[in-house]
Structures are given as C-alpha cells and as structure tokens.
Amino acid sequence: MVYRIAVLKGDGIGPEIVDSALAVLHRIGEIYGHTFLFLECAIGGEAIDTVGVPLPQETVDCCLKSDSVLLGAVGGPKWDSLAGDQRPEKALLGIRAALGLYTNLRPAKLFPALRGASPLREDLINAGFDILIVRELTGGIYFGDRGYRTGKYGEEAFDTEAYSVTEIERIGRAAFEAAMKRSRRLTSVDKANVLETSRLWRKTMHRLAAEYPEVTYSDMFVDNAAMQLVRNPKQFDVIVTSNMFGDILSDEASQITGSIGMLASASLGGTTRGMYEPIHGSAPDIAGQNKANPIATVLSAAMMLRYSFGLGAEADCIEQAVDRVLEQGWRTADLAVNGGAPAQPILGCTEMTEKILKELSPAQ
Ligand code: NAD
C-alpha cells in the first residue's frame, strides 16, 4: 500500500526530530511492505523566510492532497517581533482550521523505565498512569474575536470565547468514543462556576453522557483538575476539555511523565486524514545541536499509522521499540536531567534514532 504523507518540518528542532520519524517510517515500510511517500512543504518561520507568509496556500493544498500530515514545530526568536497574525504560530491555527481538525488527542503515559524522570514522588506514581487528553482544537478563545479598544482605563485588549452546541457535541462524542475503547472513565474539565461557555459545555456533555451509560462520567473544574493531575494522576483515564484548558493541562500532564520530549499528539476531524506532531515547541535553545529528544515525534508517527492508516501492528512495533530502548537505559539529555545518572552515555537525537531503528522488529 502507498501512503502520501505531507511533511512539515518547521523551525528550530523541527527538521531534526522529523528526520528521525521519517527514518522510522521508512524502516517500518521495509519491514511491513508499505511505501510512504514524503511530500515536504514549508510552514512557520521557514515559510515566512522563503515565501513571506507562515502558511502558504501550496502547503495547505499539499496537505489536503495527502493521506496524512506530520509536523515538527514552528516558531523562534527570529520571528518573535512580528505582529500576531504574521507570526509562525499563526500557521498552526490556520492548518488545523483548513484541514477541519477539531479533535486533539494527547496521550500522557508514564513509561515504567522513566519513573525516575517524573518530578512526582514515587508513591504518587508507582502504580503508573495512562491519561488521554481530548482537547477541542478549532474553537474557543484561540479563535474568537479579539482586538484592541478604548476601555474604562484607556487602551485595552480583549479575546473572546464562544462555543456552539455543535462544536461541543462533536468533541464530546470523540471523547466518549475514546473512553469506550479504554477503561470507560471520562472527566470533562470546565470552569462552569464562572464561564457561560463552560455552562453550555457541561449541559451538552451531560446530555451525551446519557447516551453512553457504559462510561463513568464526571465533571471537574479546571483549577481542581490542574491540582489533581499532580496529586493523583492515576484517577484519570480520558479527560475532555476546551482548547485553552487542554493546551495548559496537557503541558502539565507531559511534565509529570518525565519530559515534554516524550509526548505525541494526533489532530483529527471528520476524515481519516489527521495531523500528527509532538506537543512541544521548536526548542530554539537546543536547535541544531543534536540534543533534541526525537521520541515524541517518533510516537506521533506511530499514532498516524494507528489512527489514519489503521496500521495497529506497525504502530505497536514502534512503541515497543521505544519501550525497549528506554528499558535498556538509553536517555537523551532531557530525560536524564531528573532521573539521576543514566546507566549509559547520554544520546543525541541522531544516536537515539539509531537505537530505535535497531530495535524495530515486527511487534510481539
Ligand atoms: P518548547 O516546547 O519549544 O521548549 C520548552 C523547553 O523544553 C525548552 O527548554 C526546550 O529545550 C525543551 N524541549 C522541548 N522539546 C524538546 C525535545 N524534543 N527534546 C529536548 N528538550 C525539549 O517551548 P517554548 O520554549 O515555550 O517555545 C519555543 C518556540 O516554540 C516558541 O516560538 C513557541 O511559540 C513555539 N511553539 C511551537 C509549538 C508548535 O509548533 N506546535 C508549540 C509550542 C511552542
């Protein structure tokens, strides 16, 4: 089978980590007899420098023609002084909207070998945890009306949040369906004690909950959720929440797994085409130094195989290879930092990729 993958490497460590994932996909193709065609397109700062805009139309067209999209990361200090709608990060919102990707799946799983790298106390995580954050991706305050105006105290800025029942329902259904495939527990996170959008969110989720009696459903305020994630992460299975709350909570969840360099994500809409990317940014502080951890991007490629192409065995093969490399004690610098002295020399991005490639063999 031939799969066409739009490849958006982006800025900073983007090219390094995406190259790792492409090497892994290429090897998976050899093992399982698939052809992955990589169609490279510019996005973010790279696109600003070459074409003058963060999201060129050719990039959107290329993604729309592909079977799925793999993204590195965008942004960096070079473009920080640009106006909001000209910045590299604007391309992220644009491509998600252009591809109709309203569901963002962000797994936060503690790899047993990385327990020592989690900042949480051993007794809080010794039973492990495996959380799936389902974040709404194309609505809410990141897409609402915004601007500047003159207010009571002079110049002021404003951002607005709006959610329709339709938007809440479709992300809610995605979350209930995800919970049905896992341990059937779903927590909806909102701020219904303050926000009108959250009250509509909660009312709509309750209606959906009645359609999924097999799922144990609960509500939680976002401030409590932020606290519970570090107090007792094991209590969560699937969390569903709005765009901004999901952005913040998933970064918190990533940190308790040990490193932001481990966490993959999938953005999905109404078709099998998705966009897959690590949840971290372009890490300009370590770009071009062979220090980046490629695992989040490699695991994002595994999610693509599973969710867009239905290649579960191939995805398992990648995830098991990562598990084995970590069990053998191999670490990139970000993983070694909290975990004490690693058993082996610290690896760069290239060397970590080589270790993963070596461990790839049909899943057990
Ligand atoms: P960041 O995620 O890029 O970096 C935060 C910290 O984590 C840094 O110390 C970095 O070195 C480290 N880090 C991140 N990924 C790593 C990896 N794979 N391996 C090892 N260490 C890693 O967040 P930031 O510093 O807030 O943002 C940097 C730039 O990235 C900004 O321009 C920001 O707008 C952009 N950004 C882009 C995306 C995206 O493209 N999806 C997401 C977040 C931030």
Side-chain angles (χ1 to χ4, degrees):
M1 183 90 186
V2 177
Y3 300 94
R4 293 159 59 87
I5 301 173
V7 176
L8 317 179
K9 293 185 178 177
D11 310 313
I13 60 170
E16 305 164 51
I17 54 178
V18 170
D19 282 345
S20 297
L22 298 188
V24 167
L25 284 173
H26 182 73
R27 180 82 191 103
I28 287 288
E30 286 176 348
I31 296 173
Y32 288 91
H34 306 302
T35 302
F36 297 111
L37 293 180
F38 303 130
L39 317 164
E40 227 178 285
C41 332
I43 193 165
E46 180 205 4
I48 293 171
D49 289 351
T50 50
V51 200
V53 288
L55 181 61
Q57 188 57 42
E58 307 87 80
T59 297
V60 174
D61 293 342
C62 171
C63 292
L64 285 169
K65 278 190 219 132
S66 69
D67 297 312
S68 212
V69 182
L70 183 67
L71 171 72
V74 299
K78 183 175 175 194
W79 305 282
D80 275 352
S81 56
L82 293 174
D85 62 344
Q86 293 160 28
R87 288 172 60 109
E89 293 81 355
K90 187 73 184 168
L92 296 176
L93 305 188
I95 192 72
R96 286 168 190 162
L99 299 178
L101 306 174
Y102 53 82
T103 302
N104 189 215
L105 302 181
R106 295 186 163 200
K109 180 180 156 196
L110 185 69
F111 284 81
L114 291 184
R115 261 192 208 131
S118 171
L120 294 190
R121 272 199 334 257
E122 174 68 27
D123 60 308
L124 298 176
I125 53 166
N126 54 16
F129 60 84
D130 182 358
I131 304 168
L132 178 67
I133 298 187
V134 180
R135 168 189 169 197
E136 200 289 324
L137 204 57
T138 51
I141 196 162
Y142 290 2
F143 286 87
D145 282 346
R146 71 198 54 206
Y148 286 83
R149 64 190 169 200
T150 304
K152 194 174 162 194
Y153 300 105
E155 190 190 22
E156 65 180 26
F158 66 95
D159 299 275
T160 49
E161 165 140 315
Y163 267 118
S164 64
V165 172
T166 306
E167 288 171 304
I168 302 169
E169 258 178 15
R170 65 186 186 187
I171 190 72
R173 269 189 210 291
F176 277 101
E177 291 295 333
M180 289 291 288
K181 294 187 191 118
R182 294 167 50 102
S183 68
R184 302 187 172 187
R185 286 179 295 125
L186 175 64
T187 308
S188 172
V189 171
D190 62 36
K191 190 70 183 166
N193 49 344
V194 179
L195 301 176
E196 213 55 66
T197 40
S198 281
R199 282 191 273 273
L200 181 64
W201 180 281
R202 192 174 277 212
K203 195 168 115 191
T204 309
M205 288 293 167
H206 284 191
R207 210 176 50 241
L208 287 179
E211 291 178 30
Y212 292 88
E214 308 89 341
V215 174
T216 306
Y217 173 89
S218 58
D219 303 299
M220 195 177 278
F221 293 137
V222 64
D223 37 352
N224 186 25
M227 185 176 79
Q228 295 297 335
L229 267 174
V230 291
R231 205 184 136 261
N232 177 17
K234 177 86 185 142
Q235 71 182 285
F236 295 109
D237 177 27
V238 180
I239 293 175
V240 61
T241 191
S242 64
N243 204 340
M244 182 164 71
F245 294 161
D247 192 7
I248 298 165
L249 291 179
S250 58
D251 266 26
E252 184 187 1
S254 75
Q255 197 51 51
I256 60 174
T257 66
S259 171
I260 197 166
M262 293 296 298
L263 291 207
S265 80
S267 302
L268 303 167
T271 70
T272 55
R273 186 195 307 110
M275 189 163 80
Y276 298 83
E277 58 183 305
I279 78 153
H280 58 72
S282 59
D285 52 332
I286 56 167
Q289 300 168 41
N290 192 28
K291 284 184 181 165
N293 180 354
I295 294 179
T297 316
V298 168
L299 294 177
S300 300
M303 288 185 88
M304 175 190 290
L305 298 182
R306 176 170 287 120
Y307 289 101
S308 281
F309 304 155
L311 302 176
E314 289 82 340
D316 287 347
C317 172
I318 296 176
E319 288 162 1
Q320 288 172 11
V322 169
D323 260 339
R324 282 196 290 274
V325 168
L326 295 172
E327 287 295 344
Q328 290 159 12
W330 297 109
R331 301 284 184 270
T332 43
D334 56 306
L335 297 177
V337 82
N338 293 322
Q344 323 269 11
I346 289 176
L347 303 182
C349 184
T350 316
E351 295 75 27
M352 179 54 98
T353 309
E354 281 162 10
K355 294 286 175 207
I356 297 169
L357 289 173
K358 212 170 129 214
E359 288 298 325
L360 287 176
S361 54
Q364 308 302 307

PDB file of all heavy atoms in Angstrom, residues 317-341:
ATOM      1  N   CYS A 317       4.742  -1.844  16.888  1.00  0.00           N
ATOM      2  CA  CYS A 317       6.161  -2.142  16.648  1.00  0.00           C
ATOM      3  C   CYS A 317       7.039  -0.939  17.047  1.00  0.00           C
ATOM      4  O   CYS A 317       8.059  -1.096  17.721  1.00  0.00           O
ATOM      5  CB  CYS A 317       6.335  -2.481  15.162  1.00  0.00           C
ATOM      6  SG  CYS A 317       8.035  -2.647  14.629  1.00  0.00           S
ATOM      7  N   ILE A 318       6.595   0.263  16.671  1.00  0.00           N
ATOM      8  CA  ILE A 318       7.363   1.476  17.015  1.00  0.00           C
ATOM      9  C   ILE A 318       7.345   1.693  18.528  1.00  0.00           C
ATOM     10  O   ILE A 318       8.382   1.945  19.156  1.00  0.00           O
ATOM     11  CB  ILE A 318       6.782   2.713  16.291  1.00  0.00           C
ATOM     12  CG1 ILE A 318       6.925   2.560  14.775  1.00  0.00           C
ATOM     13  CG2 ILE A 318       7.468   3.991  16.774  1.00  0.00           C
ATOM     14  CD1 ILE A 318       6.287   3.688  13.965  1.00  0.00           C
ATOM     15  N   GLU A 319       6.157   1.582  19.131  1.00  0.00           N
ATOM     16  CA  GLU A 319       6.034   1.860  20.574  1.00  0.00           C
ATOM     17  C   GLU A 319       6.856   0.856  21.396  1.00  0.00           C
ATOM     18  O   GLU A 319       7.494   1.231  22.385  1.00  0.00           O
ATOM     19  CB  GLU A 319       4.559   1.838  20.984  1.00  0.00           C
ATOM     20  CG  GLU A 319       3.825   3.059  20.453  1.00  0.00           C
ATOM     21  CD  GLU A 319       2.299   2.941  20.433  1.00  0.00           C
ATOM     22  OE1 GLU A 319       1.784   1.892  20.868  1.00  0.00           O
ATOM     23  OE2 GLU A 319       1.653   3.880  19.984  1.00  0.00           O
ATOM     24  N   GLN A 320       6.853  -0.394  20.947  1.00  0.00           N
ATOM     25  CA  GLN A 320       7.630  -1.402  21.681  1.00  0.00           C
ATOM     26  C   GLN A 320       9.137  -1.159  21.529  1.00  0.00           C
ATOM     27  O   GLN A 320       9.909  -1.410  22.455  1.00  0.00           O
ATOM     28  CB  GLN A 320       7.248  -2.801  21.203  1.00  0.00           C
ATOM     29  CG  GLN A 320       5.857  -3.192  21.682  1.00  0.00           C
ATOM     30  CD  GLN A 320       5.354  -4.502  21.083  1.00  0.00           C
ATOM     31  OE1 GLN A 320       6.115  -5.242  20.456  1.00  0.00           O
ATOM     32  NE2 GLN A 320       4.083  -4.787  21.276  1.00  0.00           N
ATOM     33  N   ALA A 321       9.538  -0.669  20.358  1.00  0.00           N
ATOM     34  CA  ALA A 321      10.962  -0.365  20.158  1.00  0.00           C
ATOM     35  C   ALA A 321      11.395   0.763  21.106  1.00  0.00           C
ATOM     36  O   ALA A 321      12.463   0.701  21.731  1.00  0.00           O
ATOM     37  CB  ALA A 321      11.221   0.031  18.700  1.00  0.00           C
ATOM     38  N   VAL A 322      10.544   1.781  21.235  1.00  0.00           N
ATOM     39  CA  VAL A 322      10.851   2.896  22.148  1.00  0.00           C
ATOM     40  C   VAL A 322      10.944   2.369  23.581  1.00  0.00           C
ATOM     41  O   VAL A 322      11.882   2.696  24.321  1.00  0.00           O
ATOM     42  CB  VAL A 322       9.785   4.020  22.028  1.00  0.00           C
ATOM     43  CG1 VAL A 322       9.925   5.038  23.147  1.00  0.00           C
ATOM     44  CG2 VAL A 322       9.888   4.703  20.671  1.00  0.00           C
ATOM     45  N   ASP A 323       9.978   1.531  23.965  1.00  0.00           N
ATOM     46  CA  ASP A 323       9.978   0.929  25.309  1.00  0.00           C
ATOM     47  C   ASP A 323      11.304   0.212  25.577  1.00  0.00           C
ATOM     48  O   ASP A 323      11.912   0.382  26.634  1.00  0.00           O
ATOM     49  CB  ASP A 323       8.870  -0.135  25.399  1.00  0.00           C
ATOM     50  CG  ASP A 323       7.645   0.395  26.105  1.00  0.00           C
ATOM     51  OD1 ASP A 323       7.774   1.377  26.843  1.00  0.00           O
ATOM     52  OD2 ASP A 323       6.558  -0.188  25.900  1.00  0.00           O
ATOM     53  N   ARG A 324      11.719  -0.597  24.608  1.00  0.00           N
ATOM     54  CA  ARG A 324      12.943  -1.400  24.805  1.00  0.00           C
ATOM     55  C   ARG A 324      14.175  -0.512  24.948  1.00  0.00           C
ATOM     56  O   ARG A 324      15.019  -0.740  25.798  1.00  0.00           O
ATOM     57  CB  ARG A 324      13.136  -2.382  23.634  1.00  0.00           C
ATOM     58  CG  ARG A 324      12.237  -3.614  23.735  1.00  0.00           C
ATOM     59  CD  ARG A 324      12.715  -4.712  22.802  1.00  0.00           C
ATOM     60  NE  ARG A 324      12.513  -4.403  21.407  1.00  0.00           N
ATOM     61  CZ  ARG A 324      11.379  -4.647  20.732  1.00  0.00           C
ATOM     62  NH1 ARG A 324      10.359  -5.210  21.345  1.00  0.00           N
ATOM     63  NH2 ARG A 324      11.272  -4.331  19.459  1.00  0.00           N
ATOM     64  N   VAL A 325      14.244   0.533  24.115  1.00  0.00           N
ATOM     65  CA  VAL A 325      15.401   1.438  24.186  1.00  0.00           C
ATOM     66  C   VAL A 325      15.469   2.100  25.566  1.00  0.00           C
ATOM     67  O   VAL A 325      16.543   2.205  26.176  1.00  0.00           O
ATOM     68  CB  VAL A 325      15.326   2.495  23.053  1.00  0.00           C
ATOM     69  CG1 VAL A 325      16.336   3.605  23.266  1.00  0.00           C
ATOM     70  CG2 VAL A 325      15.541   1.828  21.702  1.00  0.00           C
ATOM     71  N   LEU A 326      14.309   2.515  26.079  1.00  0.00           N
ATOM     72  CA  LEU A 326      14.287   3.154  27.405  1.00  0.00           C
ATOM     73  C   LEU A 326      14.615   2.139  28.496  1.00  0.00           C
ATOM     74  O   LEU A 326      15.343   2.450  29.446  1.00  0.00           O
ATOM     75  CB  LEU A 326      12.914   3.793  27.659  1.00  0.00           C
ATOM     76  CG  LEU A 326      12.550   4.957  26.726  1.00  0.00           C
ATOM     77  CD1 LEU A 326      11.100   5.383  26.936  1.00  0.00           C
ATOM     78  CD2 LEU A 326      13.477   6.151  26.951  1.00  0.00           C
ATOM     79  N   GLU A 327      14.087   0.916  28.363  1.00  0.00           N
ATOM     80  CA  GLU A 327      14.376  -0.137  29.353  1.00  0.00           C
ATOM     81  C   GLU A 327      15.873  -0.438  29.388  1.00  0.00           C
ATOM     82  O   GLU A 327      16.427  -0.769  30.430  1.00  0.00           O
ATOM     83  CB  GLU A 327      13.611  -1.429  29.028  1.00  0.00           C
ATOM     84  CG  GLU A 327      12.110  -1.374  29.313  1.00  0.00           C
ATOM     85  CD  GLU A 327      11.781  -1.214  30.796  1.00  0.00           C
ATOM     86  OE1 GLU A 327      12.655  -1.446  31.641  1.00  0.00           O
ATOM     87  OE2 GLU A 327      10.629  -0.815  31.084  1.00  0.00           O
ATOM     88  N   GLN A 328      16.529  -0.326  28.233  1.00  0.00           N
ATOM     89  CA  GLN A 328      17.980  -0.575  28.182  1.00  0.00           C
ATOM     90  C   GLN A 328      18.764   0.564  28.845  1.00  0.00           C
ATOM     91  O   GLN A 328      19.985   0.489  28.958  1.00  0.00           O
ATOM     92  CB  GLN A 328      18.437  -0.731  26.724  1.00  0.00           C
ATOM     93  CG  GLN A 328      17.947  -2.020  26.072  1.00  0.00           C
ATOM     94  CD  GLN A 328      17.957  -1.926  24.534  1.00  0.00           C
ATOM     95  OE1 GLN A 328      18.531  -0.993  23.972  1.00  0.00           O
ATOM     96  NE2 GLN A 328      17.304  -2.872  23.881  1.00  0.00           N
ATOM     97  N   GLY A 329      18.069   1.629  29.226  1.00  0.00           N
ATOM     98  CA  GLY A 329      18.729   2.713  29.954  1.00  0.00           C
ATOM     99  C   GLY A 329      19.195   3.861  29.077  1.00  0.00           C
ATOM    100  O   GLY A 329      19.820   4.799  29.572  1.00  0.00           O
ATOM    101  N   TRP A 330      18.877   3.828  27.768  1.00  0.00           N
ATOM    102  CA  TRP A 330      19.322   4.914  26.897  1.00  0.00           C
ATOM    103  C   TRP A 330      18.485   6.159  27.133  1.00  0.00           C
ATOM    104  O   TRP A 330      17.256   6.072  27.248  1.00  0.00           O
ATOM    105  CB  TRP A 330      19.239   4.497  25.424  1.00  0.00           C
ATOM    106  CG  TRP A 330      20.137   3.345  25.092  1.00  0.00           C
ATOM    107  CD1 TRP A 330      19.758   2.070  24.798  1.00  0.00           C
ATOM    108  CD2 TRP A 330      21.572   3.367  25.053  1.00  0.00           C
ATOM    109  NE1 TRP A 330      20.867   1.293  24.567  1.00  0.00           N
ATOM    110  CE2 TRP A 330      21.985   2.055  24.722  1.00  0.00           C
ATOM    111  CE3 TRP A 330      22.537   4.346  25.268  1.00  0.00           C
ATOM    112  CZ2 TRP A 330      23.325   1.708  24.606  1.00  0.00           C
ATOM    113  CZ3 TRP A 330      23.865   4.006  25.149  1.00  0.00           C
ATOM    114  CH2 TRP A 330      24.255   2.701  24.823  1.00  0.00           C
ATOM    115  N   ARG A 331      19.132   7.322  27.222  1.00  0.00           N
ATOM    116  CA  ARG A 331      18.435   8.575  27.515  1.00  0.00           C
ATOM    117  C   ARG A 331      18.999   9.701  26.656  1.00  0.00           C
ATOM    118  O   ARG A 331      20.204   9.759  26.418  1.00  0.00           O
ATOM    119  CB  ARG A 331      18.643   8.999  28.985  1.00  0.00           C
ATOM    120  CG  ARG A 331      18.162   7.991  30.033  1.00  0.00           C
ATOM    121  CD  ARG A 331      16.648   8.011  30.164  1.00  0.00           C
ATOM    122  NE  ARG A 331      16.196   7.127  31.227  1.00  0.00           N
ATOM    123  CZ  ARG A 331      15.889   5.833  31.056  1.00  0.00           C
ATOM    124  NH1 ARG A 331      15.973   5.269  29.861  1.00  0.00           N
ATOM    125  NH2 ARG A 331      15.483   5.107  32.081  1.00  0.00           N
ATOM    126  N   THR A 332      18.084  10.628  26.244  1.00  0.00           N
ATOM    127  CA  THR A 332      18.559  11.921  25.736  1.00  0.00           C
ATOM    128  C   THR A 332      18.703  12.839  26.957  1.00  0.00           C
ATOM    129  O   THR A 332      18.237  12.504  28.040  1.00  0.00           O
ATOM    130  CB  THR A 332      17.544  12.510  24.724  1.00  0.00           C
ATOM    131  OG1 THR A 332      16.236  12.325  25.241  1.00  0.00           O
ATOM    132  CG2 THR A 332      17.670  11.848  23.358  1.00  0.00           C
ATOM    133  N   ALA A 333      19.307  14.018  26.745  1.00  0.00           N
ATOM    134  CA  ALA A 333      19.646  14.866  27.896  1.00  0.00           C
ATOM    135  C   ALA A 333      18.417  15.267  28.715  1.00  0.00           C
ATOM    136  O   ALA A 333      18.468  15.302  29.950  1.00  0.00           O
ATOM    137  CB  ALA A 333      20.372  16.115  27.404  1.00  0.00           C
ATOM    138  N   ASP A 334      17.299  15.563  28.041  1.00  0.00           N
ATOM    139  CA  ASP A 334      16.094  15.991  28.760  1.00  0.00           C
ATOM    140  C   ASP A 334      15.578  14.898  29.689  1.00  0.00           C
ATOM    141  O   ASP A 334      15.021  15.185  30.740  1.00  0.00           O
ATOM    142  CB  ASP A 334      14.986  16.372  27.759  1.00  0.00           C
ATOM    143  CG  ASP A 334      14.680  15.236  26.797  1.00  0.00           C
ATOM    144  OD1 ASP A 334      15.616  14.746  26.149  1.00  0.00           O
ATOM    145  OD2 ASP A 334      13.513  14.814  26.714  1.00  0.00           O
ATOM    146  N   LEU A 335      15.771  13.627  29.319  1.00  0.00           N
ATOM    147  CA  LEU A 335      15.286  12.518  30.143  1.00  0.00           C
ATOM    148  C   LEU A 335      16.237  12.225  31.292  1.00  0.00           C
ATOM    149  O   LEU A 335      15.828  11.714  32.329  1.00  0.00           O
ATOM    150  CB  LEU A 335      15.132  11.252  29.292  1.00  0.00           C
ATOM    151  CG  LEU A 335      14.111  11.326  28.166  1.00  0.00           C
ATOM    152  CD1 LEU A 335      14.108  10.042  27.365  1.00  0.00           C
ATOM    153  CD2 LEU A 335      12.729  11.603  28.740  1.00  0.00           C
ATOM    154  N   ALA A 336      17.495  12.512  31.086  1.00  0.00           N
ATOM    155  CA  ALA A 336      18.488  12.204  32.121  1.00  0.00           C
ATOM    156  C   ALA A 336      18.425  13.210  33.257  1.00  0.00           C
ATOM    157  O   ALA A 336      18.775  12.905  34.392  1.00  0.00           O
ATOM    158  CB  ALA A 336      19.888  12.208  31.507  1.00  0.00           C
ATOM    159  N   VAL A 337      17.894  14.399  32.951  1.00  0.00           N
ATOM    160  CA  VAL A 337      18.049  15.507  33.872  1.00  0.00           C
ATOM    161  C   VAL A 337      17.414  15.266  35.243  1.00  0.00           C
ATOM    162  O   VAL A 337      18.016  15.527  36.275  1.00  0.00           O
ATOM    163  CB  VAL A 337      17.555  16.812  33.203  1.00  0.00           C
ATOM    164  CG1 VAL A 337      16.050  16.999  33.261  1.00  0.00           C
ATOM    165  CG2 VAL A 337      18.233  18.008  33.783  1.00  0.00           C
ATOM    166  N   ASN A 338      16.174  14.688  35.251  1.00  0.00           N
ATOM    167  CA  ASN A 338      15.527  14.454  36.544  1.00  0.00           C
ATOM    168  C   ASN A 338      15.770  13.054  37.072  1.00  0.00           C
ATOM    169  O   ASN A 338      15.470  12.750  38.213  1.00  0.00           O
ATOM    170  CB  ASN A 338      13.998  14.641  36.425  1.00  0.00           C
ATOM    171  CG  ASN A 338      13.643  16.070  36.150  1.00  0.00           C
ATOM    172  OD1 ASN A 338      14.276  16.958  36.686  1.00  0.00           O
ATOM    173  ND2 ASN A 338      12.659  16.284  35.306  1.00  0.00           N
ATOM    174  N   GLY A 339      16.247  12.187  36.205  1.00  0.00           N
ATOM    175  CA  GLY A 339      16.279  10.787  36.565  1.00  0.00           C
ATOM    176  C   GLY A 339      17.579  10.322  37.192  1.00  0.00           C
ATOM    177  O   GLY A 339      17.821   9.124  37.315  1.00  0.00           O
ATOM    178  N   GLY A 340      18.433  11.242  37.572  1.00  0.00           N
ATOM    179  CA  GLY A 340      19.717  10.840  38.144  1.00  0.00           C
ATOM    180  C   GLY A 340      20.650  10.381  37.047  1.00  0.00           C
ATOM    181  O   GLY A 340      20.360  10.522  35.863  1.00  0.00           O
ATOM    182  N   ALA A 341      21.772   9.814  37.404  1.00  0.00           N
ATOM    183  CA  ALA A 341      22.768   9.416  36.412  1.00  0.00           C
ATOM    184  C   ALA A 341      22.215   8.292  35.538  1.00  0.00           C
ATOM    185  O   ALA A 341      21.758   7.274  36.052  1.00  0.00           O
ATOM    186  CB  ALA A 341      24.017   8.947  37.125  1.00  0.00           C
TER     187      ALA A 341
END
